Amino acid sequence: MTIDAENSELFQIPLDRIHRNPDNPRIFFRQKELEELLESIREYGVQVPISVYREGSRFVLIDGERRWKCCLKLNKKTIPALVQEKPSPLTNLLLMFNIHALREQWDYLTIALRLPRVIKLLVHELGRDPNERELSNKTGLSRGAIRRCKLLMDLPSQYQQELLRELNKPKSEQKISEDLFIEMERSLKTVERAMPKVIENKDVVRRVLIDKYKKDTINNIVDFRKIAKIARAEKVAADKAKARQTLKKLFQSNSYSIVQAYEDSVSLAYSERDLLSRIKALLDLLAKLDVEDLEDDVKRALRSLIKRASELLRAEE
Amino acid sequence: MSYNFLSASLQPTAEHAKKFFRTKFGVSTFRVEEQISPDIAYVPTLSAFGKDHYLICIEVSESAWPENNQLDSFVLDCKNRGLPIKLYVAMPKIPSDSNFKSKLQRAKSNGVGVIEVEAGGKGHIFHEALPLSLTGLRPLTPTDFPPKYRATVRQAEQTFCDGTPHKGCGCIYDEIENLSRKLAKKTCANGLWTKSGATKVPSVNLETGPWARVMEELIDNLDLRRCGCPKLDLPLLHRIAGITPHRNDSGHKPKNQSQLKKRDQELRTRFESARDLLRDLVDATKPLRL
């Protein structure tokens, strides 16, 4: 980026000569947050100048859109602003990301909707597709955040619009969230990889799962991780055919929940794997101990363990 | 029209509010987030002139009274400057708000109307807005008046604040006029208009003659030392005579907003001083049991 913030100049600029930056990925300004800032500015004034660049006789915002909005509401005539050089389109976009995304929690969808333009401009600059690390370095976003955004970026437009409408509501009234889509998309990708023919129409499956979530048949977005576990049944030596059938049933319009599907298919296999790994860890630990190291209560616990294990093994014989 | 401050989630509410005010109040042209006065440090979401020249301001909010103190200071600024404004809070139909009643009460005590609006210009008015130029009267102390006057004075104040200030003033003037005519009649009949105690025939009908003439007669003839009312003095009688010219000019309708502002400011002062005058007259004539 070529902006030299240290050489920018501080001015009091008339509010009506300032315009919002069309490249600002931020599209949601929640009323409650704006009102809190409004109260602070009313009480203490604008303590940190906004940043703008000059474009003819007007100024375009780089940083400080909420402060500018609040000053308009408070009928202020001017606002302190640092005037910088006009950036290139790519620098302008990257500035937005670096200024805002690092400072506060943005909605991922707002970033996801701008990311294709960043990628396009970077392709133009680099002559090839930027990789994840380059995108992360340029935008200031973590690689995890970029992966999440890409999941949302790849969503069909109808779901992006549905999510946009939802994000427009106050937080307390939002039913579906970005996290829901991120968890769902991740799990469906795993299903497509591990059991390619289970999902015939991904859009239908998405709609079924969202409806189930809205009706509370699925009541926790973390449950979506269990779908991926069912799809990976083979890894825990569970019945793959049964897992496939279970997923097909889950992806149909009914009251079958993810938790039930997990219980019916792979729950036992995952529990056994978990038990095995714990036993291995315990054996590793015991191998390192001398008998002098053992306290009485540990010895008592070990005897109980041997007794219970013997009972189980005898029962099997 | 674009909103700078109002969040996208509340913009449909603003549009419903516009439709509601068009249907209900016949308001046609709305300004969006524009200043109402250069020295008022707040910009309401919508504003429009009503048919009665009052500026209707509409603040769109998620609740009956926004959480911050913005509206309190806005209302106070308008009152202090005597601006002829009616302020409404327009809110969407929301399922429940545990603080709704207290917020509604807060709006009411500030003279701010509250409306719940829906699509299609439908809405429910919880209570009407009062002209901010008329609210903020010096508070009335009910015990300043004997019980028989309290309801009348309270009613006059209500009428004043409801947007018909001349009628509110008129109610107080009526009481002062009645009492001063009774004073004239009783003191004349009791021979307090002559040094000898003989009854004097007044040159004007004390019941139906012009009020100003009745006051002139009273000032000229009443022997204040003998009437047994120590608080009744010439300055008080002159104060009454001084309001008689306003008796008839208070009902003229303002033709524009600046006339409205001037009228409201004058009437507020007149109302407060007439109310004080009635209190003093009632108190001063108590010994005469009028």
Side-chain angles (χ1 to χ4, degrees):
Chain A
M1 277 178 280
T2 55
I3 285 289
D4 186 359
E6 286 177 8
N7 286 334
S8 46
E9 290 181 83
L10 183 63
F11 294 100
Q12 285 286 338
I13 294 180
L15 287 168
D16 55 5
R17 286 178 65 193
I18 297 171
H19 296 259
R20 73 178 300 266
N21 194 321
D23 279 331
N24 188 353
R26 184 173 193 159
I27 44 178
F28 302 113
F29 293 90
R30 295 201 172 82
Q31 200 68 21
K32 196 167 184 290
E33 291 165 14
L34 277 176
E35 284 177 4
E36 282 167 5
L37 181 61
L38 186 87
E39 188 61 19
S40 159
I41 291 177
R42 191 179 71 89
E43 193 99 342
Y44 304 107
V46 177
Q47 292 294 306
V48 181
I50 62 167
S51 293
V52 294
Y53 65 83
R54 193 190 288 270
E55 195 175 63
S57 61
R58 62 184 210 148
F59 297 90
V60 180
L61 277 164
I62 293 172
D63 177 29
E65 184 164 343
R66 291 191 310 154
R67 276 166 280 169
W68 170 68
K69 280 170 181 277
C70 289
C71 286
L72 284 170
K73 184 73 176 170
L74 289 169
N75 202 16
K76 290 186 180 294
K77 304 295 175 255
T78 60
I79 189 168
L82 288 164
V83 181
Q84 304 185 1
E85 288 291 313
K86 184 179 177 179
S88 71
L90 178 61
T91 309
N92 185 27
L93 250 179
L94 294 179
L95 268 173
M96 296 285 126
F97 277 97
N98 279 276
I99 290 167
H100 300 289
L102 296 182
R103 208 167 49 199
E104 55 194 303
Q105 178 63 52
W106 265 9
D107 297 302
Y108 282 123
L109 186 64
T110 62
I111 304 171
L113 294 175
R114 285 286 173 197
L115 216 47
R117 186 160 147 76
V118 174
I119 294 170
K120 195 180 162 192
L121 290 167
L122 278 173
V123 167
H124 185 72
E125 189 183 271
L126 301 170
R128 59 174 169 78
D129 283 340
N131 59 33
E132 206 173 88
R133 190 188 301 157
E134 283 166 334
L135 263 180
S136 168
N137 287 342
K138 290 279 185 185
T139 57
L141 298 166
S142 70
R143 291 171 70 176
I146 286 176
R147 277 197 289 274
R148 282 183 207 106
C149 288
K150 279 189 164 176
L151 285 171
L152 296 175
M153 206 169 95
D154 295 339
L155 269 180
S157 161
Q158 65 183 98
Y159 296 106
Q160 288 181 341
Q161 292 306 315
E162 189 172 344
L163 194 49
L164 271 174
R165 282 194 296 276
E166 200 70 11
L167 290 173
N168 251 326
K169 297 177 185 171
K171 280 265 187 214
S172 57
E173 289 172 32
Q174 290 174 14
K175 177 71 182 168
I176 57 172
S177 63
E178 294 167 317
D179 287 342
L180 165 73
F181 280 100
I182 290 168
E183 291 290 348
M184 185 174 72
E185 289 302 305
R186 273 181 180 160
S187 67
L188 294 184
K189 276 196 171 187
T190 308
V191 174
E192 282 176 323
R193 259 198 319 271
M195 292 185 172
K197 287 180 184 163
V198 168
I199 298 174
E200 285 168 15
N201 185 332
K202 202 171 177 182
D203 256 358
V204 172
V205 173
R206 282 187 183 113
R207 181 48 58 202
V208 165
L209 291 175
I210 290 169
D211 286 347
K212 284 188 177 186
Y213 183 76
K214 283 181 177 170
K215 287 176 189 160
D216 275 342
T217 306
I218 300 168
N219 51 22
N220 190 339
I221 53 172
V222 180
D223 287 352
F224 283 100
R225 294 177 191 177
K226 290 194 169 96
I227 294 180
K229 281 184 160 184
I230 299 171
R232 288 194 300 256
E234 212 171 7
K235 282 197 169 180
V236 285
D239 185 343
K240 195 175 175 184
K242 193 177 179 187
R244 188 188 301 273
Q245 281 307 112
T246 308
L247 283 178
K248 284 196 166 180
K249 187 178 171 186
L250 178 65
F251 294 157
Q252 284 167 9
S253 223
N254 48 34
S255 58
Y256 197 47
S257 70
I258 296 177
V259 173
Q260 194 57 53
Y262 184 75
E263 288 297 320
D264 291 349
S265 55
V266 294
S267 169
L268 193 64
Y270 276 101
S271 297
E272 281 178 355
R273 191 182 74 165
D274 184 42
L275 182 64
L276 201 60
S277 84
R278 282 167 194 254
I279 292 171
K280 275 182 183 168
L282 181 64
L283 288 172
D284 285 349
L285 185 67
L286 291 175
K288 290 174 195 163
L289 294 176
D290 286 330
V291 77
E292 292 84 19
D293 296 336
L294 300 178
E295 299 284 343
D296 285 346
D297 51 349
V298 177
K299 285 177 188 166
R300 271 197 301 276
L302 279 175
R303 279 188 205 103
S304 300
L305 180 66
I306 292 165
K307 191 180 166 198
R308 180 64 189 142
S310 303
E311 281 169 5
L312 284 171
L313 291 171
R314 263 201 304 277
E316 194 198 37
E317 285 161 10
Chain B
M1 282 188 228
S2 63
Y3 299 90
N4 273 317
F5 185 80
L6 192 70
S7 68
S9 62
L10 281 174
Q11 287 175 16
T13 306
E15 294 305 310
H16 299 334
K18 277 201 246 175
K19 204 160 188 183
F20 175 82
F21 276 86
R22 272 194 203 109
T23 314
K24 190 90 181 169
F25 295 86
V27 180
S28 54
T29 313
F30 288 93
R31 295 186 304 166
V32 175
E33 294 183 350
E34 280 188 34
Q35 67 168 17
I36 53 161
S37 170
D39 54 351
I40 296 281
Y42 199 69
V43 172
T45 314
L46 302 166
S47 57
F49 283 105
K51 301 286 177 206
D52 53 4
H53 305 299
Y54 280 106
L55 181 66
I56 296 173
C57 294
I58 305 160
E59 183 64 14
V60 177
S61 170
E62 282 166 359
S63 64
W65 194 259
E67 297 286 345
N68 57 39
N69 298 321
Q70 293 306 319
L71 277 194
D72 298 86
S73 56
F74 176 64
V75 167
L76 195 63
D77 282 350
C78 293
K79 282 179 181 176
N80 288 343
R81 286 165 177 78
L83 297 182
I85 283 171
K86 287 181 184 175
L87 174 64
Y88 290 89
V89 172
M91 58 175 204
K93 198 164 186 173
I94 44 173
S96 64
D97 177 357
S98 55
N99 297 322
F100 179 70
K101 274 190 178 170
S102 66
K103 287 176 181 173
L104 199 63
Q105 188 51 43
R106 200 161 162 204
K108 194 173 183 178
S109 63
N110 275 293
V112 176
V114 177
I115 300 172
E116 191 180 68
V117 288
E118 289 177 74
K122 289 183 201 161
H124 172 68
I125 303 178
F126 287 101
H127 58 80
E128 280 286 359
L130 305 178
L132 296 180
S133 48
L134 299 175
T135 53
L137 285 173
R138 194 153 31 82
L140 170 75
T141 312
T143 49
D144 281 353
F145 292 90
K148 77 169 185 175
Y149 288 99
R150 284 176 201 167
T152 310
V153 174
R154 204 173 48 243
Q155 183 62 42
E157 187 169 321
Q158 192 64 47
T159 308
F160 182 91
C161 291
D162 279 348
T164 47
H166 51 282
K167 285 187 185 165
C169 288
C171 293
I172 301 288
Y173 289 154
D174 283 348
E175 288 299 325
I176 297 171
E177 183 180 345
N178 283 342
L179 196 55
S180 54
R181 285 184 191 274
K182 279 184 189 170
L183 171 67
K185 267 175 69 183
K186 189 159 189 176
T187 51
C188 182
N190 288 355
L192 295 170
W193 284 26
T194 56
K195 281 191 180 163
S196 61
T199 309
K200 183 182 176 181
V201 180
S203 63
V204 60
N205 186 327
L206 298 179
E207 273 186 55
T208 57
W211 184 26
R213 289 278 315 283
V214 174
M215 288 312 299
E216 275 172 29
E217 284 280 299
L218 193 60
I219 289 166
D220 288 346
N221 297 305
L222 179 61
D223 186 348
L224 290 165
R225 279 171 301 182
R226 285 169 52 224
C227 73
C229 302
K231 290 181 184 171
L232 188 64
D233 54 14
L234 269 179
L236 180 60
L237 295 179
H238 280 293
R239 275 168 67 197
I240 298 169
I243 65 166
T244 56
H246 301 311
R247 185 75 176 84
N248 297 322
D249 69 5
S250 57
H252 298 311
K253 266 196 169 177
K255 290 192 179 90
N256 53 42
Q257 217 215 2
S258 65
Q259 277 186 17
L260 178 70
K261 183 180 174 184
K262 189 167 174 277
R263 184 204 70 172
D264 282 0
Q265 280 174 344
E266 283 176 4
L267 288 185
R268 198 158 93 168
T269 312
R270 273 188 211 168
F271 183 86
E272 286 178 345
S273 73
R275 199 176 57 184
D276 290 347
L277 182 55
L278 177 63
R279 179 198 60 203
D280 294 345
L281 183 62
V282 168
D283 188 38
T285 57
K286 212 179 267 177
L288 290 169
R289 295 174 180 273
L290 299 173

